[in-house]
Every structure is written in C-alpha cells, then in structure tokens.
Amino acid sequence: MVELLRQAWAVARKDLLLEFRTRTAIVSAAVFAALVLMVFNFGRDPTAVATIDLAPTILWVTFTFAAMLALNRAFQLELENQALEGLLVSPLNRTSLYWGKLIANLAFVAVVEAVGLPLFVLFFNVPVWHVLAPLVGVIALATLGFVAVGTLFSALVVRTRFAELLLVVILLPFLVPPLMGAVQLTARLFGGRPLSEVVGYLKLLAAYDIVFVSLASILFRFTVDE
Amino acid sequence: MVELLRQAWAVARKDLLLEFRTRTAIVSAAVFAALVLMVFNFGRDPTAVATIDLAPTILWVTFTFAAMLALNRAFQLELENQALEGLLVSPLNRTSLYWGKLIANLAFVAVVEAVGLPLFVLFFNVPVWHVLAPLVGVIALATLGFVAVGTLFSALVVRTRFAELLLVVILLPFLVPPLMGAVQLTARLFGGRPLSEVVGYLKLLAAYDIVFVSLASILFRFTVDE
Amino acid sequence: MTLAQRGRWITLVALALLGAVYVRALMFTPLERMQGAAQKIFYIHVPAAIWTEGAMILLGLAGILFLFLKDPRLDRFAEASAEVGTVFATIVLTTGPLWGKPIWGTWWTWDARLTSTLFLFFLYVGYLLMRGAVREPGLRARYAAVLGVCGMFLVPFIHLSVFLFPTLHPQPIILKPSAPSLPGTMLETWLFSLGVFTLLYVGLVTQRYAVSLLREARQTVGGDHA
Amino acid sequence: MLWAEGLRHAFGRVVALDDVSFSLTPGQTLAIFGPNGAGKTTLLKVLAGLIRPQGGTARVDGGRRAIGWIGHQSHLYGHLTVLENLLFWASLYGVPAARRRPRAGEVLARLAMTDRSDQPVWSLSRGLVQRAAIAKALMHDPGVLLLDEPFTGLDLAAAAEFRALLAELRGAGRVLVLATHNVDEGVELSTHVAFQRRGRFVHFAPRGGRGAAEIAEAYRRAMTDG
Amino acid sequence: MLWAEGLRHAFGRVVALDDVSFSLTPGQTLAIFGPNGAGKTTLLKVLAGLIRPQGGTARVDGGRRAIGWIGHQSHLYGHLTVLENLLFWASLYGVPAARRRPRAGEVLARLAMTDRSDQPVWSLSRGLVQRAAIAKALMHDPGVLLLDEPFTGLDLAAAAEFRALLAELRGAGRVLVLATHNVDEGVELSTHVAFQRRGRFVHFAPRGGRGAAEIAEAYRRAMTDG
Ligand code: HEM
Ligand SMILES: Nc1ncnc2c1ncn2[C@@H]1O[C@H](COP(=O)(O)OP(=O)(O)OP(=O)(O)O)[C@@H](O)[C@H]1O
Ligand SMILES: Nc1ncnc2c1ncn2[C@@H]1O[C@H](COP(=O)(O)OP(=O)(O)OP(=O)(O)O)[C@@H](O)[C@H]1O
Ligand SMILES: [Mg+2]
Ligand SMILES: [Mg+2]
C-alpha cells in the first residue's frame, strides 16, 4: 500500500512538474474560464436576467470545461512525450498509475477552480462569502466524481484512434448526475436555503464519488494491460 | 493567383480528408456543443429565467468553444504528423498555406455550427425559423472574423514553447469585438427588433472581417518564413 | 550623456511637470459641477488612456516598418513601447476604479469601455508573454511585429466600441468625430497634461530602449542566455 | 531466463509473428536480423508485454521489473532535463532513493552525457536523445535487455562504447535480445542468431564460430530463396 | 549549385555552426561526418531554409522547389495512405497532376513499397516509414538532396537499393549532401568529405582516391586531437 502510494505520487509529481514547466494546460484552462465568464457577461442583458438565477449554471459550465481540458491532457502528455509505452513496460502498478493521474488531474482542476471562483465572484458580483465553506465542499465532491470517471475513460480511449472524440462521447452520460447535483446544490446555496433541503443531493454526490472512485481504481488495470 | 488558390485547396483538402478519416475534432466539437447546451438546460430554472434572454449568450459560448478547438487542431495536426517541417521546406506559397488552413478551419467550424444550431433550437425552444437567414448571416460574419485571426495566431504560436497557452491569451482580446457584436445582433434578432437598429453592429462585424482577413493574408508569410 | 541617462532625465522632467499639472488642476481649474473633486483624476486618467492606445499604435507602426526594413532598432522600440503601454494601461485601470467608486458606487462594472481597456491590457501582456516564449531573436522580432500590427488594427475597434455598446462610462469628449466639448480652462489643463504624458512616454521608452541595448550587448559577449 | 513459445500475431492480413519459439539463459544474446516489416519490433513488444500475442506465450524471469527496453520511442519527457527523466524512471523501477543520483551519474558518465544532464530533452540532437534513452533503460540494471535498433543515431565513439557496455552486461549474466539491420554490429555481440522473415524464424541457431561475413551470406541466402 | 558562406549558429551557449563555408556543383556529393551534437542536422536545416543562421548565408539554385529533404521526421500524415501522402506532397511541389500517379508508382516500385501503397502510414514498421519518407522526397525529382542519416531503419536490401539510387542521381547531375555516422555508407557515395566538430568543419576536401578505411582513420584522428 505504501509502495502503491509512493509510486502514485511519483507519477503525479512528474505530471505536476511538467505542467509547472510549461504551464500550458493550467493557464489555458484559466484563460478559458475567464473567456466563458466574459462571454456570459457580454451576452447577458442585466435588466432581463437576474445574475443569481444564472450563476450556478455559469459556474458549472466553466468548471466542466476546465476539467475536460485537464482530462484531455492527462494521457495526451504521455503520448506526446512518447512515454506512455514506457509507463506500460515499467513495473509501475496500474492502480498507482491511475491514482497518480487522478491526483495530478485533481490538483490541476483544483487550481483552475481556485482561479475561476474569484473571477466568477468578480464578474457576477454573487455574494459567496457567507456560503464559501459549503460551496467549496460541493465543488470538491462534484469534481472528485467526474474527474475520477474521466481519468479512467481517458486511459481507455487514449490508444484508440479517435481518442478525443470518444472521451467526450462516453464521458457525457456520466457527467449528468454530478453536474445536476452540483448545479442544484449551488443554486440552493446561493438562494440561502436551509441545509436540510439539500441533503438528498449531497448524498447523491457522495454516493457517486464512492462508487466511481472504487470502481475506477479496480477497473483501471484492464484499460492499460493487454 | 490560380496557382495560389490551387495550392490552398490542396492544403485544405488534405486537412479535410484527415478530419474525415479520423473525425476526431469535428465530433468532439459537436459533442462539446451538445454538452454545453445540456448543462445549460439542466442548470436553468425555467421559472426564473426566460430562455430568450439567455439564448444569444449560450449560442455564442458554444460556438466560440467549437472554434477554439478547431484552431488548436489546425497546426497541431501538422506537428503530430511531423509534417509542419515538410510544409515549411516545400515551395508552397505561404499565403496558400494560410488560405488552405483558413478554408479548412472555416469548413470545420461551419459543420459544428450546423450541428449546434438545431440542437440549440431543440434544447431551448427558441423560434429561429423566421430569422434563420439573417441569423446564419450573422454567424458567418462573426465566425469568419475570429477564425481568420485565430488561424494566423495559431501559426504564430505553434513553434513557441507554450503554444496552446499563448494562443488563448493572445487571441482573447481579438475575440471581443466580433463576439460582442454577434451576441448583441443575435439578441436583437431573437427579440424581433427591426433591422435598422442593428446596422451599426453589422458594420462592425463586416469591417472587422475585411480588416483582419486582409491583414492576416498579408502577415501570414512572416509567421512561417525565416 | 548615455541614452539611459537621457531617458531618465526626460522622465524626471515629465514627472515634475505632472506635479505642475496637478497644482494647476487643483488651484486654477474649476470644480466639475456634478462630480466635485473626484473629477480631478481626469487629468491623469484620460491622457494615460490615450497613450495606452497610442503606444499600441506606435508599436504596430514599428512592426510594419520592421517587417520591411528588418532593422533591429524598430524591434527594440516596439518592445519598449509595449512595456510602457502596459504601465499606462495599469494606470488607467487603477485610476478608473478610483474614480468610479465615488461616482458610480462600484469599483468595476462590465461595460464595453472598461472591458475593452482590460483586454487591451491583456493584449500587452500577451505580447510580452510571446516575446518571452520565443528564444531566437530574429524569430521573436518577426512574431512580435506580426502581433503588434494586428494589435494596432484592433485599437480602433476597441476605441469605437463605446459608440455601439451600452456603457456606463462617459462617451468620448475629446477623441470623437465631432469637435471636443469641454470648458476652456479644463481643456487647457487637460492639453497640458496630455503634453506631459507624451513627454513621460518618450522618457520611459528611451530608458527601456537603452536597457534592451544593454541586454543585447551582454548576450553577444556570451554571458547570460537563460 | 526468457521463454517464447509458439508466438503468433497478425495485424489484419499482415503476419507479424508466425510460430516463434526460443528461450535464452543468462549470458546469452540473441541477434535478430530481418527485412523491414518482418516482425522484429512486434516480437520485442510481445516479450516486453506491450502486445498480447494472438497465440503462444512469452515469459521473462522477474517480470516487468527485470526488463530494460530500448525501442523506437525514447520514453523521455521533452520538458524535463535528462537527469530529471532518469530519476523519475528509476523511482518507478523501485531503485532506492539514495541510489538514484549516483546511478544516474554513473550511467551518464559511461555514455559521455554528463555535461548534458541538465539540458531539457527537447533541446538534444538525435544521437544524444538516443543516449539518454539508453541511460534510462539501464538505470535499474535490468536482467533482460530488449534492444530494438539501439545503435540508431549514435556516433562512432558512442556506438563503440555502447557495444563494450553490452558485452560487459552479457558477461555479467544479463540476457540480451537485439534486433538490428547491421550485421557487423549485431553478430559481434551475439551468442545466438535468428533470421526473421514474414514473422517466422527461418533460421535460429547458436552463432558458434561464425563471423559477420559468414552470417551476412547466410542471411542473404535465407532471404532470397522461397 | 549550392553555396554556404560563413555560416554561424548557436543555441544559447551551444555552438552548432561555426564559420562553415563550402560550395557544391552538380554531380558532387558531400558526406559530413561528426559526433553527436556536432551540428550536422543544424547545417542541413540551414541549407533547407528551416533555420535562418545567425551569421552567413546559404543559397540553393532553384530555391525550395529544387530541394528534397530526408530528415529525422517523416513528414507523412499517419492517417493518410502512403499513396495519398505522395500525391499530396507532389501537388505542393508543383508536379503536374497527370504525372503524379505514374511518378508515385515508379518511386514506390524502386523502393519495393508497391504492395504497401494503400496502407495508412501509422501501420507501417519503422523501416517502411523511412522508405515512404524517401519516396516523398524523390517525388519531384529534386536537384539538391539533403540527407540526414537517410539509411536509418532500412534493411540490407533496401539500403543497397537506395545507395544505388543515390549513385544514379549523382550521375544525373544532382547535388547531394549526406550526414551520417556510418563511414562505410557515406564514403562510397561521396566526392567530397567533411568532418564537423562543435559546429566547425575541421576537415573539408575532395575525397580523391581515399577509401572508407582511410577516411575512418582520418576522422578518428580529427576527433581526438585538439
Ligand atoms: C473603471 C475603469 C475605467 C477604465 C478602464 C476607463 C477607461 C478609459 C479609457 C480607455 C478612456 C480613453 C477613451 C479615449 O481614448 O477616448 C477613458 C476616458 C475617459 N474616462 Fe475612463 N475608465 C474607467 C473609469 C472611468 C470613470 C469612473 C470615469 C468618470 C465617471 C471615467 C471618465 C472618463 C472620461 C471623462 C474620459 C475621457 C473621454 C474622452 O474624452 O475620450 N472613466 N477611460
Ligand atoms: N499497429 C499495427 N497495425 C497494423 N499493422 C502493423 C502494426 N504494427 C506493425 N504492423 C505491421 O506488422 C509488420 C511487422 O511490423 P514490425 O514493426 O514488427 O516490423 P519490423 O521487423 O520491426 O520492421 P522494421 O525493420 O522496419 O522496423 C509490418 O508489416 C507492419 O506494417
Ligand atoms: N532547438 C534547439 N535548442 C537548443 N539546442 C539545440 C536545438 N537544436 C539543436 N540543439 C543543440 O545543438 C547541437 C547541434 O545539434 P544537431 O542536431 O545539429 O547535431 P547533430 O550533429 O545532428 O547530432 P546527431 O548526430 O546527434 O544527430 C546539439 O548540442 C543540440 O543539443
Ligand atoms: Mg522495427
Ligand atoms: Mg542529427
């Protein structure tokens, strides 16, 4: 177990180091987030639409894109560097590879979200401070779920011929539950509703996370081994 | 001139053939569009927000993303295939290369828009049929402008160290005028306003297209030649 | 006197004169009726804004000349102009909100003028980032020139956007198609200030130009390459 | 030890492995010669566990951890330095943390790459990348080395040094499998020789006392008849 | 004809070209030998116009259209078939439409690739890709061939055939420049021989009657002293 985690960390560390060197993905995701927020801003007729009604959707559209960008990179990076083959011939435990990629992806998405959230507050003037803690919790729960599934799928498709295409297509149905839950929860939070009203959604997110993180950890090795 | 266009067509044809073989970019862009639209659909509280107020923004967020994906691919494709160097040592006229890439990018974005628009109508129940012709015109005008600039810039950054990142960063300011114009125009069209009200925006888009298509055609050769 | 020293002197003189502008503005120029003392910031805000746009136009012109003459001095000037333009854009983006808080009751809103200025700032940042991303000096100069020329052509679109889009920000009083509409003493003070900012621009650019000369000299000797 | 038993593999209609069986004990070196497309790379990939053969089995004593692989891809991350790459791979192969740096130092010194260790891999010339890839494969002192045209791009001095290194490894009881076109390079090192053609081993025997010229002649005969 | 005059180029601190001058007339072949990192590839890239040297000039009679380039990258699109690739490149090099197919047939037959012509390039083995890359470079019957380790991956038969082809081309008045590590392969073809070391031509002379062994000896001496 310690060895598993150590190796996972080696993989994650290398990904983060590469990202730190090039900053490609993180900055483009952050700028992408800014772009989405900006476009919303221009498009919106402030007299017609109250910000608060739109805010949850906008927030989650932004975060979903950032996450998709991250996932696309995770294995693409190995291909570009001709290193995927190297990982596969190495004795690296497949579960470690999965966890390593998951950690790197989560770190990545977390940074983008950490950049996106303040921008969001700035652009849309939504008062989040009083619900910050639960909001961060919701973001973390939802993100964990779909990044876990996405990491699995990105390994699944990376060696097929239509990798990017397939990733989006097969991931789509899996995005629905966490995304719906997250949007509804965020809307309730912004609306200042009592916590009791949202327990159902929280359970949904938590169940999704538990099921899919375990499932993906188990299934991952079948995606990379011949 | 005939030779220029013939070569441009050779480049565009090759790009489209490759895309047709793999369908990577086009399908992922289309699915992406579906994803955005879906997320909006779930997130929206129909009692609180009237669809029509949001529609222009949503439409343009979707299209902008599709275009960004296309642009990212245009030169990435050459790099992946190790063929960019080959194009550069070839006697291919640089203006032809630009036009070829521009044609392929436009074709690509047009297909995504052609898929996205019906989906949009389906999801959001916006009555577009009576404004279809002008709407298509607006889409074409706005798309031409930013794809023209984007194609130029993607050549500019492709050999720099942080290509993707830089593309998004330097393209962003150039997206503002066409995007703002397009959103406003679309809103007016959906709102059933008279055409006279929107002439200013149309002029803006047209001017932008003329200026930047010519400029990019002239400047392109400086981006690839030593 | 070296170039750097000359630049420093011009800058110092300009700063001293800026003091004089404020003496004149505070003591000898009438208070604006609606805005009171807050309006005094006008004498920095507007000249800085004009030179933000001006610096971009000059660097674009230098870019055009560079592409034909291949004179490295033009590239050095463009770089200097970009750095100074960034400083001026920062000034506009700080004085604007300072002024906006008492007048509009908010630091920032997302209307066309403010946003387009922000994006002009981004354009400068992107321009400088790109210069940093290309190592080879010849290539860097050419790429920078291409982006600079595009930036120059973007400025009119940004400048004119206020006429098209609903905005909170005052419409142009001075740089507009019809004659300036500003009371006499205010106009005089303002023109004085514009002259001072012009001097400041010249001084700062001279200094930056000298710095890049020094850096190049050091590099050809074989020193720092990182 | 290394066993291959009745290996068969076809890509569509192309037969890449056809009933290949052999086994090697410590200290033995197999040199495989064969025309382009004969299936040499496919065989090595099967031995490394990268391809699961459609028929037959392959086994390597000690599993993945015991294998060192030098193939057409470098398995190096372009934006990491040579040293960083070596440390990363060493950690995946379970080299104790304290041993990694000294080991990297040894291997790099042996390949005359010490002065390049802090250079990012993308800035290396082709032959230098090949040396770095060799260093990577040797970091964990593998018991079985799978070498697919490992001399590609090496200059005369480096090739001689690498040949000497391989002879030492063989002497130290390592198992080597070498696919190459250069009879001179291959024969000298080998204890066994195989000729592969359309996936089949048309010849497999201990080298005995045969020299390069004799083997080359036998190879030519094996390829022309039938 | 091909001229190089005082070529200098450095990547940061690494000197890749140092005052290289020579010229070749039709029918002459220059073989360049040099250790890894000597600057051979850089020189060929400068001759092909891929890198603008920091000092000196290089010129090729007939410009880009006259150059055939075989380098480390194949310049082939993986998802197109071999034939489609050849037709595309031929069209860029201005080969008349009616000549393209017959020419592709000839070249492929010569390289024993006829049966592979409808296979997508991604499914070829390394040596077969190299043959396809050679075919691509010969499609437009170039006057000047720049060959960077062109024998890489070729099997014995293909290498012999390609050597014969190059000898024919030389006889037909083509200019060849060949960078290689294999003295046996290089010398046989050459009329001139150069040894490159740290960017400098430490030796440049007509081959005269010298054979491979003599050249190899001279090379060894040139590399060890100083
Ligand atoms: C909050 C950030 C602000 C930004 C980014 C900003 C930006 C600009 C820019 C770019 C210009 C130059 C326009 C031109 O070239 O003609 C300008 C001019 C001007 N600004 Fe602002 N501004 C801001 C806030 C304000 C505020 C709060 C006021 C006062 C209510 C104000 C009053 C003016 C005036 C009077 C002009 C002169 C217009 C002209 O004569 O052209 N600005 N501003
Ligand atoms: N992924 C693949 N899909 C389809 N065909 C393949 C694939 N990989 C290899 N092949 C085919 O299998 C055959 C054997 O390929 P392999 O790479 O093993 O040859 P090789 O002996 O290594 O040749 P070379 O000397 O050129 O490297 C070739 O005809 C090749 O085209
Ligand atoms: N883009 C680059 N950035 C930085 N350094 C580079 C770059 N390209 C080449 N170099 C360096 O320049 C030197 C010469 O490289 P070049 O590829 O010309 O060598 P070469 O003679 O072809 O070597 P090889 O025999 O290994 O192919 C090497 O030290 C290499 O590391
Ligand atoms: Mg092979
Ligand atoms: Mg080389």
Side-chain angles (χ1 to χ4, degrees), chain B residues 21 78 81-82 85 90 226, chain E residues 52 75-78 84:
Chain B
R21 285 278 156 77
E78 307 293 343
N81 287 286
Q82 319 191 316
E85 199 185 80
S90 82
E226 295 285 337
Chain E
R52 182 201 287 274
H75 300 173
L76 302 171
Y77 296 92
E84 283 167 344

Side-chain angles (χ1 to χ4, degrees), chain A residues 32 36 61-72 164-165 167-169 171-172 175, chain B residues 24-40 58 61-70 108 112 115-116 119 123:
Chain A
F32 231 60
V36 187
V61 172
T62 316
F63 285 179
T64 313
F65 286 131
M68 295 298 285
L69 275 179
L71 291 172
N72 244 331
E164 279 172 60
L165 141 68
L167 178 61
V168 192
V169 176
L171 194 51
L172 204 52
L175 285 180
Chain B
T24 315
I26 203 96
V27 180
S28 55
V31 177
F32 230 62
L35 178 69
V36 186
L37 294 174
M38 197 195 76
V39 174
F40 276 116
I58 296 173
V61 172
T62 317
F63 286 178
T64 313
F65 287 131
M68 294 297 284
L69 275 179
F108 181 97
V112 177
V115 174
L119 280 179
F123 276 116

Side-chain angles (χ1 to χ4, degrees), chain B residues 6-7 10-11 14 17-18 21-22 77-78 81-83 85-92 94 225-226, chain E residues 45 48-52 64-65 69 73-81 84 88-89 91-93 100:
Chain B
R6 202 191 54 73
Q7 290 206 337
V11 172
K14 180 262 303 167
L17 184 61
L18 274 173
R21 285 278 156 77
T22 57
L77 180 136
E78 307 293 343
N81 287 286
Q82 319 191 316
E85 199 185 80
L87 291 176
L88 297 182
V89 295
S90 82
L92 171 67
R94 293 357 187 179
D225 269 341
E226 295 285 337
Chain E
K45 283 188 176 173
L50 267 177
I51 295 181
R52 182 201 287 274
R64 287 211 173 83
R65 195 172 296 268
W69 161 278
Q73 304 191 341
S74 72
H75 300 173
L76 302 171
Y77 296 92
H79 284 279
L80 299 185
T81 67
E84 283 167 344
F88 169 67
W89 288 108
S91 80
L92 288 198
Y93 276 89
R100 285 175 213 156

